[in-house]
Amino acid sequence: MAFDDVGARRFRPRAEGGDPWRGDERHRAMAEALNRYGLWDHLPAELRESAMTEVATGCYPLHLDLLEELAEGGVERFLRELAPALARYGVVLEIETVPDADDYTVSINGIRCVVARPEDWEGGDPWALSTVRPLAVVNQLLAAAGRSALRAHTLCAGGNEGLVFLMDPRAAEAMRASGLFPEHEVPALADGE
């Protein structure tokens, strides 16, 4: 998951001829906005500065780690992995699978969350739904805790390459407003159906 470390060097586009692209004023402005909205607040000071510098010079701003597949019973495990990051923002998770004859249902802090139901497999994207639904409950809990503006956002929700980020929605909007990324590269707020 992408909330606790910077990890490997971020993707950097290359200009024609193979020379590293240096970024421009849009990248610098976006890096300042992302810093202002706390995207790197969880990092030690030297890593925050490094992350901001990378983005200002053209690197993709988000560390990319894979989400687990959730539609086949992995929600409890996934949320337990997410729990330490959420606890820092006042959300202590209590998760359990709820017996249900047809649906895959979990209880998240007493909130019943249908992760997947049989009709989801009839035309929609059940993998994306099973990722976003529990994260939408997490966002409800974060909002109720009121200690932070952070919310769960996803990229490629539901696929093996799916990602989740705890970030201020204004950081995602700054990425979108920069015009530097296609929409599929900007994290989407996990807001249910």
Side-chain angles (χ1 to χ4, degrees), residues 33-181:
L34 296 177
N35 190 51
R36 184 171 53 252
Y37 299 137
L39 187 64
W40 304 298
D41 283 357
H42 64 284
L43 298 174
E46 65 276 3
L47 291 178
R48 278 193 304 265
E49 183 64 34
S50 174
M52 188 172 166
T53 299
E54 286 181 358
V55 170
T57 60
C59 290
Y60 187 71
L62 304 173
H63 177 66
L64 305 177
D65 284 333
L66 300 181
L67 260 181
E68 309 227 2
E69 291 184 24
L70 303 180
E72 295 181 346
V75 171
E76 278 191 67
R77 181 179 62 248
F78 167 70
L79 291 176
R80 289 189 202 303
E81 291 174 7
L82 185 60
L86 293 172
R88 289 194 296 266
Y89 302 104
V91 175
V92 176
L93 290 181
E94 296 175 17
I95 313 126
E96 66 179 277
T97 300
V98 177
D100 193 318
D102 296 316
D103 300 338
Y104 172 27
T105 305
V106 296
S107 173
I108 306 170
N109 290 24
I111 301 170
R112 186 179 171 90
C113 174
V114 175
V115 177
R117 52 178 77 105
E119 57 267 23
D120 293 342
W121 298 92
E122 298 170 7
D125 186 350
W127 302 107
L129 290 172
S130 64
T131 299
V132 172
R133 287 173 177 153
L135 291 174
V137 173
V138 166
N139 281 341
Q140 291 173 22
L141 297 170
L142 283 165
R147 290 181 33 194
S148 171
L150 296 183
R151 299 295 180 267
H153 289 71
T154 62
L155 276 178
C156 306
N160 288 334
E161 68 283 0
L163 305 163
V164 64
F165 300 95
L166 290 178
M167 60 192 297
D168 187 316
R170 296 173 296 181
E173 186 51 42
M175 288 178 66
R176 185 174 290 107
S178 74
L180 295 167
F181 308 102

Side-chain angles (χ1 to χ4, degrees), residues 22 28 57 145:
R22 301 285 180 209
R28 289 183 283 284
T57 60

